[in-house]
Amino acid sequence: MHATRKLWTWLAIICVVSFSVLGWVGREIYLKAPPIPSAVTNGKGEVLYSGDQIQHGQQAWRAAGGQQLGTVWGHGSYLAPDWSADWLHREALALQEAVAKRDFGQPYAGLDTARRGQVDATVREELRRNTYDPATGKLELSTLRAAAVQQVAMHYAALFGSDSRFDALREQYAMKAGSLPEEADRAALTGFFFWSSWAAAADRPGETGLSYTSNWPHEPLAGNTPTAGAGIWSIASVILMIAAIAAMVFFHGMHKEEEDPPTPKSDPLGGMRITPSMRATRKYFFVVVGLILAQVAMGVVTAHYAVEGTSFFGLPLGEILPFTVSRTIHTQFAVLWIATAWLATGLYIAPAISGHEPKYQKLGVNVLFYALLFIVVGSTATGWLGTLRAAGTDYSFWIGNQGLEFTSMGRVWQILLFVGLLFWALLLGRGLWPALRKPSESRGLIAMVFLAALCIGGFYATSLTWGRGTHYSMVEYWRWWLVHLWVEGFFEVFATAVIALLFTRLGLIRAASANSAIVLETIVFLFGGILGTLHHLYFTGTPTSVIALGSMFSALEVVPLSLIGIEAYRNYQRSKAAAWVRNYRWAILCFIAVGFWNTVGAGLLGFSINTPIALYYMQGLNMTAAHGHAALFGVYGMLGIGLMLFCLRGLSAGYGWSDSLLRPTFWLLNIGLAMMVFMSLVPAGIYQAHASITTGMWYARSAEFVHSSFMETMVWLRVPGDIVFAFGTLFLGLFAWRLLRSGRDPQAVAEGARVRA
């Protein structure tokens, strides 16, 4: 007990210190983010863009699809360009032509090598010179550059409008015509794109060769190449990771794991009484399966748009289901079904652990279910309709699609979801309270489950921190609090503690050792995980300290994954401990799969892009997608399915259960995911990375490159894996349908009969 208290103390210290540093970094980002000028003027003092226009342009881009339609500073979808990189390249080319004609009286292509070098040097100097005046808040461009800006702006204004000359390009970008029907919105959009590219090339005050985005994207014409810091901190992070893994292996070798207790002769949960509120969670899991099927269907459509743009095997599906909508549903439903599975698991196990059914708990579980269903359906429908009708910035922010990846629902829906999560934490706390008050060996595990639940409910408040006019750097800062800390942090702590608690209840691991192990695992995970959030923010207009902190602590995130295979093997042994354990075989195998994908998806593929020098060239390319698919579904998705199967086993008591359907479900999902990642996404990502390194980010994301024969072949090579994976979800659907048709569990039927009698 004394050792466990010390671990809890260390956990508290690490959390306080880490969040203090993360808060300090947020303050630095706020103070040192690229300034939004009050006016952008030309050499004659004429205003090209006002500060309000630039901020409104950010809102217009998000209303048109935002991070579901290309990226800005590397964050978003992978089909359309990175608009900041694309603008920067187009402006550099326009300046090349203008300087060549001014200085030599002929097009750039007609110049010899020496004169081209002079032009290139002039263009680089023009793009890197920071003419922002903090005293007046104005950014004054030369007459030559102002003309280039206006020329490039015409391209984007026409692209986001309905100009028929851009129909072919829109098809390649999977854009619909008239994404922004209002001329004022299109003009503001070009201001935002210009500002994002200006910040990417202009030297920071007092610096030379260092832009506000640490020289991202790679663009030789603007002199954007990796900084020395990116290389040095990358090397340092690799050294730290190797040293930390060695230390963990040494620690593991010095502290021999305690043997598992003797396996009970019968299932300890076999005679568990299913309370009314536990039974009420059953419908949550059927909704989870429905969301999985919908998410996979949207993923198939979204992937196919990479080839046909706005059609699906010749059908003009993009007219009613644009790419921005299908991708929004695909990414949003992934988070929603995983979260729903975990929330329902918490509501199921609370009375099972405490042996107490609070008054009106069933009512609360039912109210929460229909509230969550209303939020899912409502936010999806309003986002879809808003996109189809191009409803504008006010609509998109409040009830439509905010255009932010993984957190796209409108502000009204976010507020409702926040209230729902707090209500869930209250229900969970009511169910666990008797067990928290009663001294027991497993009280530490129960406390960890409850604390993680409080963090899940409370930290969703970070989705409410940005407003319509919030600086884009700060939007990204808070968004990653939500995506990284909420999804990848506290949900994982919650799920890990729940699994340990379930295993102790089954008598497969000792409660005392599990208490210490879970707190220690949480310490190791959060020590790297909290400040590891910063690796998402290297190039989003943040200070260079973000690169230093993010690279070092994200390297530490990989450390606990190095030994996760040992835990997976132990779980495999536990799955064969006794004949009755076979009842939970597929749930346990899902937990084993989580270990595999944690090592491969989160560890191997994650660290391959996490160092600053790697991410400099690969941010926003298909290697990110490979990591995202392997980690999100492989780790969190399989974890959610495993928890769901564990709960459904108790709720069905074997009634309607089918191992013959779960066997192909498990293997097809994992094999299909591996095929998708390693046959398509990884080769495409490596090919794109080569283009980014040799030519520039603009080229790796260009329509010419993305629709090259090799890249389109890689898209088609997703089909075999997608088919295998889709069949896995269909078997899961059949399994759920069989359970649903089987009716209520035998205990519920018997209780109902007694009541009627």
Side-chain angles (χ1 to χ4, degrees):
M1 290 296 295
H2 178 68
T4 304
R5 284 196 204 98
K6 289 178 66 176
L7 289 175
W8 278 100
T9 301
W10 275 110
L11 177 60
I13 292 171
I14 286 170
C15 286
V16 170
V17 172
S18 296
F19 278 111
S20 297
V21 174
L22 195 59
W24 170 79
V25 170
R27 177 180 176 273
E28 291 297 295
I29 294 173
Y30 178 79
L31 294 174
K32 298 178 181 179
I36 298 176
S38 59
V40 180
T41 63
N42 61 15
K44 300 176 182 179
E46 298 170 338
V47 176
L48 302 179
Y49 300 110
S50 67
D52 290 340
Q53 266 188 306
I54 293 172
Q55 289 183 312
H56 181 70
Q58 180 192 150
Q59 300 167 34
W61 173 60
R62 287 166 54 181
Q67 292 179 341
Q68 310 298 347
L69 183 62
T71 59
V72 167
W73 294 344
H75 291 286
S77 65
Y78 315 118
L79 185 53
D82 179 89
W83 303 109
S84 42
D86 194 61
W87 178 294
L88 183 59
H89 185 71
R90 289 178 183 276
E91 186 181 339
L93 292 179
L95 279 172
Q96 273 186 343
E97 292 300 326
V99 172
K101 290 178 181 178
R102 183 194 65 182
D103 293 351
F104 303 107
Q106 56 182 310
Y108 180 81
L111 300 179
D112 57 29
T113 303
R115 289 183 173 181
R116 285 187 181 185
Q118 293 179 48
V119 171
D120 291 345
T122 302
V123 169
R124 280 195 299 273
E125 196 278 332
E126 185 74 34
L127 292 171
R128 300 208 71 86
R129 188 192 312 124
N130 190 342
T131 56
Y132 173 74
D133 184 354
T136 63
K138 292 183 179 181
L139 173 63
E140 184 176 342
L141 306 180
S142 67
T143 303
L144 199 69
R145 185 172 184 184
V149 166
Q150 290 174 314
Q151 177 183 331
V152 177
M154 291 172 62
H155 167 82
Y156 292 104
L159 178 66
F160 280 79
S162 301
D163 192 326
S164 60
R165 293 174 300 169
F166 289 82
D167 286 345
L169 188 57
R170 290 193 199 98
E171 184 78 14
Q172 292 177 315
Y173 291 165
M175 288 178 64
K176 66 186 186 74
S179 296
L180 289 174
E182 298 295 329
E183 185 178 352
D185 288 344
R186 296 197 298 272
L189 173 80
T190 63
F192 174 63
F193 285 173
F194 159 74
W195 171 81
S196 70
S197 69
W198 168 79
D203 285 337
R204 299 184 190 192
E207 300 281 357
T208 301
L210 178 66
S211 74
Y212 289 102
T213 61
S214 294
N215 291 357
W216 194 93
H218 179 220
E219 176 52 82
L221 296 181
N224 267 13
T225 55
T227 63
I232 290 170
W233 287 112
S234 296
I235 295 170
S237 67
V238 173
I239 294 172
L240 176 64
M241 181 190 69
I242 295 172
I245 290 175
M248 175 158 281
V249 171
F250 178 77
F251 177 84
H252 187 267
M254 291 291 292
H255 297 78
K256 187 176 181 181
E257 287 190 26
E258 188 176 1
E259 291 294 324
D260 290 335
T263 306
K265 294 182 179 180
S266 60
D267 185 354
L269 300 180
M272 180 178 63
R273 184 178 72 88
I274 304 297
T275 69
S277 71
M278 293 169 66
R279 195 172 303 116
T281 64
R282 194 168 183 258
K283 54 184 168 291
Y284 282 77
F285 298 114
F286 294 121
V287 169
V288 166
V289 175
L291 290 174
I292 291 174
L293 293 172
Q295 188 228 340
V296 171
M298 290 299 104
V300 170
V301 172
T302 301
H304 189 78
Y305 281 150
V307 176
E308 287 196 68
T310 57
S311 299
F312 186 72
F313 292 101
L315 297 174
L317 187 61
E319 294 179 7
I320 60 171
L321 186 66
F323 174 85
T324 54
V325 173
S326 67
R327 191 177 189 275
T328 297
I329 296 175
H330 179 61
T331 55
Q332 193 73 16
F333 275 21
V335 175
L336 288 173
W337 76 255
I338 291 169
T340 302
W342 295 3
L343 298 182
T345 299
L347 295 174
Y348 173 81
I349 68 166
I353 291 169
S354 66
H356 171 69
E357 173 84 345
K359 193 175 182 180
Y360 303 123
Q361 184 78 350
K362 178 184 176 182
L363 176 63
V365 171
N366 286 332
V367 168
L368 179 62
F369 172 79
Y370 291 109
L372 291 176
L373 200 60
F374 173 71
I375 292 169
V376 171
V377 174
S379 62
T380 303
T382 54
W384 193 337
L385 291 173
T387 300
L388 288 179
R389 297 180 179 179
T393 57
D394 290 338
Y395 180 95
S396 67
F397 178 79
W398 288 107
I399 60 174
N401 183 349
Q402 285 198 50
L404 296 173
E405 196 174 31
F406 296 111
T407 174
S408 58
M409 63 177 61
R411 177 53 49 87
V412 170
W413 302 111
Q414 288 177 326
I415 293 171
L416 292 176
L417 183 55
F418 176 54
V419 173
L421 288 170
L422 292 181
F423 184 53
W424 168 74
L426 174 64
L427 292 174
L428 186 63
R430 292 176 78 235
L432 292 176
W433 187 246
L436 286 169
R437 295 180 61 188
K438 181 181 178 181
S440 68
E441 283 190 326
S442 59
R443 186 160 69 166
L445 282 175
I446 299 169
M448 183 64 79
V449 170
F450 181 60
L451 288 175
L454 288 179
C455 290
I456 289 169
F459 268 78
Y460 190 75
T462 55
S463 68
L464 310 177
T465 50
W466 61 81
R468 296 179 59 199
T470 301
H471 194 290
Y472 191 67
S473 294
M474 292 306 299
V475 171
E476 282 298 281
Y477 170 75
W478 287 116
R479 187 175 73 88
W480 284 108
W481 269 63
L482 181 65
V483 177
H484 185 91
L485 287 174
W486 189 65
V487 177
E488 299 180 33
F490 296 112
F491 261 122
E492 181 154 332
V493 172
F494 172 78
T496 305
V498 166
I499 291 172
L501 198 52
L502 292 175
F503 273 38
T504 60
R505 291 290 167 167
L506 289 174
L508 299 178
I509 59 176
R510 301 180 190 276
S513 59
N515 276 332
S516 299
I518 288 300
V519 181
L520 183 59
E521 284 182 26
T522 304
I523 288 173
V524 173
F525 178 76
L526 293 183
F527 182 67
I530 294 174
L531 290 177
T533 306
L534 297 175
H535 80 259
H536 299 286
L537 304 174
Y538 292 153
F539 311 118
T540 57
T542 56
T544 53
S545 58
V546 168
I547 293 179
L549 288 169
S551 60
M552 300 302 281
F553 281 93
S554 66
L556 294 176
E557 288 185 276
V558 182
V559 174
L561 305 180
S562 61
L563 295 180
I564 208 159
I566 297 174
E567 183 62 23
Y569 178 69
R570 293 290 298 273
N571 284 340
Y572 177 73
Q573 289 180 312
R574 291 165 185 146
S575 70
K576 296 186 172 183
W580 61 265
V581 182
R582 293 174 188 168
N583 293 334
Y584 307 98
R585 180 189 179 193
W586 296 108
I588 295 174
L589 283 177
C590 285
F591 302 151
I592 294 171
V594 169
F596 171 80
W597 288 111
N598 243 327
T599 302
V600 174
L604 178 64
L605 295 176
F607 192 71
S608 70
I609 62 173
N610 276 6
T611 58
I613 194 65
L615 201 59
Y616 178 84
Y617 290 112
M618 290 191 283
Q619 180 157 288
L621 304 182
N622 273 283
M623 281 299 292
T624 305
H627 160 61
H629 282 75
L632 186 59
F633 187 89
V635 178
Y636 304 108
M638 291 305 296
L639 196 52
I641 292 174
L643 293 174
M644 176 180 71
L645 294 179
F646 200 102
C647 297
L648 285 176
R649 186 74 208 195
L651 288 168
S652 68
Y655 192 59
W657 192 268
S658 175
D659 282 339
S660 62
L661 289 175
L662 288 178
R663 182 177 293 104
T665 294
F666 175 82
W667 290 111
L668 290 174
L669 288 178
N670 283 283
I671 293 172
L673 179 61
M675 292 171 65
M676 183 194 314
V677 169
F678 293 107
M679 287 175 56
S680 174
L681 295 176
V682 168
I686 294 173
Y687 189 62
Q688 274 187 303
H690 180 267
S692 175
I693 294 168
T694 57
T695 306
M697 178 59 66
W698 70 271
Y699 179 62
R701 292 289 302 274
S702 67
E704 174 190 358
F705 186 85
V706 170
H707 289 278
S708 64
S709 59
F710 179 86
M711 290 297 290
E712 290 201 347
T713 299
M714 290 300 101
V715 175
W716 284 113
L717 277 177
R718 277 194 61 164
V719 173
D722 285 351
I723 291 174
V724 172
F725 189 87
F727 271 107
T729 61
L730 289 177
F731 275 106
L732 181 62
L734 289 173
F735 168 80
W737 179 249
R738 179 182 171 121
L739 278 184
L740 184 63
R741 285 181 59 86
S742 69
R744 295 176 295 172
D745 62 89
Q747 182 179 339
V749 173
E751 288 179 1
R754 285 196 297 271
V755 169
R756 287 192 297 272

